[in-house]
Amino acid sequence: MIPARQFTAAAATALSLVAGAACVCLFPVADGRAQGSSGNCENEAQLAILSSPIAPWKGAPLRVVFAAEEPLDGELSLTAPDGSVAAKSRDRQGGPPYFWFAETASPAAGTWIAKLTRDGASGACGTIAREITVARKEPPRAGATSKGVWPVRAAWDREMENLYSAWIETLFDDPLDAAPSWPALHEVLRDPSRNILFNHLGWREDEKKLIIRPDCADLPYFLRAYFAFKMGLAFGYANCTRGGGGKPPYCPAWWNIHKEEPPPVPAQQRSASREQFGLFGARAAPAPAIKVPRRPAGLVPGFGHYLRVTVANGVHSGSGRTAADDDDTDYYPVALSEKTLRPGTVYADPYGHILVLVRRLPQSDDAAGVFLAVDGQPDGTVARKRFWRGNFLFAQDPALGSPGFKRFRPIVREKNGTLRRLTNAEIAKDPQYGDFSLDQSQLEVEEFYDRMDEVMSPVPLNPVRALKEAITSLEEQVHARVTSVENGRKYQIEGGHEVAIPDGTSIFETTGPWEDFATPSRDLRLLIAIDVVRGLPDRVARRPERYATPPGKSVEDVKAELEKVLAEELSTRKFSYTRSDGSQWELTLKDVIDRLAELEMAYNVNDCVELRWGAPENSDEASTCKRQASKAQRAKMAEYRAWFNERRRPPRL
């Protein structure tokens, strides 16, 4: 990230690269003394300013973001060339970073003023302003870049990371109880009400119908690459093993937008050869040469191909599970604190699932603190969910790698133009970052969740409220499974053939229709989530200091009350799923918990949806079932059932 006082030069450079001979998008305030004062104030407040699009003109909405490291109070306003205030907001969002957003849909041509008026700040730093020139005509578009996937014109640092966090939070913003979900990431990116960077480059690039459909491992990379593409930042990714033989994944190669990876082996060939690094992390024999489409000419088509083909084939869940102290990785671990767990931070669980934090809601008098995250599914679905033990699994096992919260490793450009990643030691010493930490590696499972409870809710929680919020999280997880199982039903009725069941641990990690429509990993997480909710009364009894015990009640009294509330809530919270014949069937959360045994073998896409929801044999619910996995597949599932019964995912051999 570039300091705000340097943003003008970067914007001018970006303009020459992207929009040709058009007017500059950001200028300092005209008065020389005001310019210097404003720049100093921005540095003091660690303030970053973003104006979008990069070359504003009257035919496109004008969006402005001010992002700060500290929780400043103030008002952001946009003043039109005629002196009228077109938009203003005191709605400070985030935390940290903290940011303000303002937009005007049809800006008049001329000079606009974006101004943050700070409460309680005296003198020159009371107001920080930027001039934005809006052109009368749409700027001309530049030709395709000849070097790399896109040009690098700015640098990653704290202020740019803060803008990245603000963009992520705005992209997935919704009320806490909304539980939003999208069939693909491009559905979110094409929404100008969410995407601050919509058509930022002036190419109408977000109207080109690019298909952006990441799975869970791709999602953080796709988000990071999209932001880097728009802002002219460096981007790269590592080729990693998946681990095995008792060792975590490691990454022997790194590629970037200036040094692209050679054409990849198709997914089906990689799967057949146990990935290009083999069973135990050793490099396997090279695959036969194949013909893969080259990256097309043009900035936007080339970017789409780079995401869809190059990055998607280059990264996987092992990329997030590398050893915490490994320098040759895309992610590095951070400490557990509200300052480090920002939007854009990645969570890698030990069994291969990846989530991206998108918002933190601090604890209030009425509710516990909440971290919200998004994840991708093999079928392309992107959904938001809460941090809790049922969604964010944690375990310490060297064979699985290092789980936990991690951030993207900063990429810097050397004087000769080459790109490289900072090492852990460099990150720890860099004043722009300084957040590398091995703390999570020292925590046992219960310690990790206890620490997260303290980060989210420093003040002791009302135990009944904590229980109800856990049940709500379970409810969200069940609704997400409804979508996954329904996608499998649609695959069946649209003529999908019987899907082969993978062997052994590959049921959790493969490609094709099994990965898209079977749900072994998701069902294992659901079983763990159910255990968490059922065990919460015992957890409260184990850690009474974390919960506000009502006056006059003992720990035993509180536990008994929680068990009563649990039974009532599970019986009254309902949902429905679509049966094989298209009719709806209603269940309660209690029904789901009562069917734990059936859910240990309910992940096979070849089974009807009634079986996948554990419908009792010969019941009215099961009467519409017309499809069942073969005896051979059921025998395999019986063999693997112990993993689900014991709530464990075995490591790769």
Side-chain angles (χ1 to χ4, degrees):
M1 161 71 188
I2 45 180
R5 64 181 176 183
Q6 299 174 17
F7 195 85
T8 302
T13 304
L15 191 59
S16 67
L17 288 168
V18 179
C23 57
V24 178
C25 71
L26 276 178
F27 289 95
V29 177
D31 181 79
R33 289 172 298 173
Q35 174 184 345
S37 174
S38 180
N40 291 335
C41 294
E42 291 160 14
N43 291 340
E44 175 191 331
Q46 292 183 284
L47 191 67
I49 304 171
L50 168 66
S51 169
S52 183
I54 197 169
W57 72 291
K58 69 176 186 178
L62 175 63
R63 306 179 182 94
V64 176
V65 177
F66 278 50
E69 182 67 19
E70 299 299 330
L72 310 176
D73 290 321
E75 180 179 80
L76 175 62
S77 62
L78 288 180
T79 302
D82 64 3
S84 63
V85 177
K88 62 182 179 180
S89 174
R90 294 191 62 86
D91 182 18
R92 187 192 72 199
Q93 302 178 57
Y98 304 86
F99 64 96
W100 298 258
F101 172 72
E103 176 182 14
T104 181
S106 301
T111 301
W112 287 69
I113 303 294
K115 181 170 61 177
L116 179 66
T117 303
R118 297 171 56 186
D119 296 346
S122 59
C125 290
T127 298
I128 299 174
R130 274 289 180 265
E131 287 187 357
I132 305 170
T133 300
V134 175
R136 294 185 180 278
K137 297 182 179 180
E138 183 175 7
R141 303 172 190 174
T145 176
S146 59
K147 182 181 179 181
V149 185
W150 63 78
V152 175
R153 60 183 185 267
W156 287 106
D157 67 4
R158 175 55 62 89
E159 284 80 16
M160 189 64 84
E161 297 284 3
N162 285 347
L163 289 176
Y164 178 61
S165 293
W167 173 70
I168 290 280
E169 180 165 334
T170 305
L171 194 64
F172 298 103
D173 186 34
D174 256 314
L176 178 60
D177 59 356
S181 176
W182 301 268
L185 180 60
H186 58 249
E187 298 286 344
V188 191
L189 297 174
R190 294 175 189 174
D191 185 348
S193 70
R194 292 182 177 277
N195 187 1
I196 295 172
L197 297 177
F198 185 85
N199 287 346
H200 177 71
L201 298 178
W203 282 70
R204 302 182 189 270
E205 63 273 12
D206 291 302
E207 300 174 46
K208 303 296 186 183
K209 305 300 182 183
L210 291 180
I211 301 300
I212 304 177
R213 195 186 298 274
D215 63 16
C216 76
D218 298 335
L219 181 61
Y221 286 94
F222 280 28
L223 290 170
R224 189 76 166 182
Y226 181 93
F227 184 84
F229 170 63
K230 294 295 185 112
M231 300 297 289
L233 296 159
F235 175 82
Y237 64 89
N239 276 151
C240 307
T241 70
R242 292 185 184 271
K247 296 182 179 180
Y250 69 95
C251 309
W254 185 66
W255 309 97
N256 57 66
I257 56 174
H258 286 175
K259 184 181 178 182
E260 295 179 63
E261 182 179 7
V265 177
Q268 62 269 26
Q269 292 188 24
R270 281 209 323 272
S271 178
S273 64
R274 303 291 295 191
E275 294 291 339
Q276 65 183 34
F277 296 103
L279 278 171
F280 298 101
R283 186 174 292 275
I290 57 169
K291 186 176 181 180
V292 174
R294 296 176 62 87
R295 175 166 56 84
L299 194 63
V300 178
F303 169 71
H305 180 274
Y306 183 70
L307 279 191
R308 186 173 60 253
V309 177
T310 308
V311 178
N313 284 318
V315 303
H316 52 72
S317 61
S319 305
R321 293 186 291 105
T322 50
D325 59 355
D326 191 342
D327 283 315
D328 296 321
T329 62
D330 290 328
Y331 304 118
Y332 67 95
V334 296
L336 302 182
S337 75
E338 66 176 53
K339 286 188 173 293
T340 55
L341 302 183
R342 299 160 177 253
T345 302
V346 170
Y347 185 84
D349 87 11
Y351 306 117
H353 196 56
I354 308 290
L355 302 100
V356 181
L357 289 184
V358 298
R359 191 179 181 190
R360 171 182 172 265
L361 296 172
Q363 183 181 17
S364 67
D365 293 339
D366 300 323
V370 177
F371 280 110
L372 298 173
V374 291
D375 65 359
Q377 297 295 337
D379 59 16
T381 302
V382 175
R384 197 186 72 180
K385 50 201 61 175
R386 303 171 186 231
F387 174 92
W388 78 301
R389 198 165 180 160
N391 282 329
F392 289 67
L393 306 187
F394 188 83
Q396 295 286 17
D397 183 342
L400 297 173
S402 294
F405 288 100
K406 304 180 180 185
R407 292 183 65 183
F408 271 100
R409 189 175 296 277
I411 300 173
V412 296
R413 182 167 56 171
E414 303 286 28
K415 291 181 179 179
N416 63 4
T418 61
L419 302 178
R420 74 172 182 90
R421 297 166 296 178
L422 295 184
T423 66
N424 295 331
E426 288 176 317
I427 293 170
K429 295 177 182 178
D430 192 328
Q432 298 293 322
Y433 290 89
D435 54 355
F436 170 77
S437 172
L438 294 175
D439 287 355
Q440 293 178 80
S441 301
Q442 315 304 318
L443 299 176
E444 296 300 326
V445 173
E446 293 302 324
E447 291 176 318
F448 172 80
Y449 291 113
D450 288 349
R451 184 78 63 84
M452 284 303 300
D453 282 347
E454 293 163 2
V455 172
M456 292 189 295
S457 301
V459 178
L461 297 166
N462 178 293
V464 172
R465 184 179 300 138
L467 174 63
K468 289 184 177 181
E469 290 178 355
I471 297 171
T472 297
S473 297
L474 173 62
E475 190 174 23
E476 290 178 358
Q477 207 158 335
V478 169
H479 281 288
R481 188 178 191 270
V482 170
T483 300
S484 297
V485 173
E486 172 62 7
N487 288 338
R489 186 188 75 88
K490 290 178 179 178
Y491 172 79
Q492 290 177 347
I493 64 176
E494 291 170 2
H497 299 292
E498 181 179 78
V499 179
I501 183 172
D503 293 327
T505 59
S506 295
I507 66 169
F508 296 107
E509 193 173 61
T510 187
T511 58
W514 181 269
E515 177 71 7
D516 292 343
F517 304 117
T519 54
S521 294
R522 281 162 277 185
D523 285 6
L524 180 59
R525 288 182 176 84
L526 178 62
L527 292 169
I528 293 171
I530 290 171
D531 291 345
V532 171
V533 169
R534 296 171 72 195
L536 201 140
D538 287 328
R539 179 176 176 81
V540 171
R542 180 177 68 83
R543 295 198 70 206
E545 73 280 0
R546 282 291 302 138
Y547 299 90
T549 303
K553 289 190 176 182
S554 66
V555 172
E556 290 74 18
D557 293 336
V558 172
K559 181 180 176 181
E561 181 183 3
L562 292 178
E563 289 173 342
K564 179 181 178 182
V565 171
L566 177 61
E568 293 172 349
E569 291 288 327
L570 294 177
S571 297
T572 56
R573 299 203 190 200
K574 300 177 181 180
F575 67 98
S576 62
Y577 73 88
T578 304
R579 294 196 295 175
S580 298
D581 65 350
S583 64
Q584 296 294 302
W585 191 267
E586 187 177 81
L587 295 174
T588 65
L589 291 186
K590 181 180 184 300
D591 292 326
V592 175
I593 290 178
D594 289 344
R595 299 176 180 188
L596 279 181
E598 289 76 14
L599 290 176
E600 293 172 3
M601 291 183 60
Y603 53 83
N604 194 329
V605 63
N606 298 305
D607 281 325
C608 65
V609 291
E610 293 85 352
L611 286 178
R612 296 187 70 181
W613 284 106
E617 189 175 0
N618 299 322
S619 64
D620 288 343
E621 180 185 355
S623 64
T624 51
C625 176
K626 305 299 181 184
R627 182 168 181 158
Q628 187 169 349
S630 67
K631 290 183 179 179
Q633 289 201 358
R634 301 295 292 183
K636 273 191 174 183
M637 294 170 70
E639 180 183 346
Y640 307 152
R641 185 169 190 165
W643 299 334
F644 297 87
N645 181 261
E646 298 168 11
R647 312 295 194 258
R648 63 179 176 86
R649 178 171 165 176
R652 292 167 61 90
L653 299 176

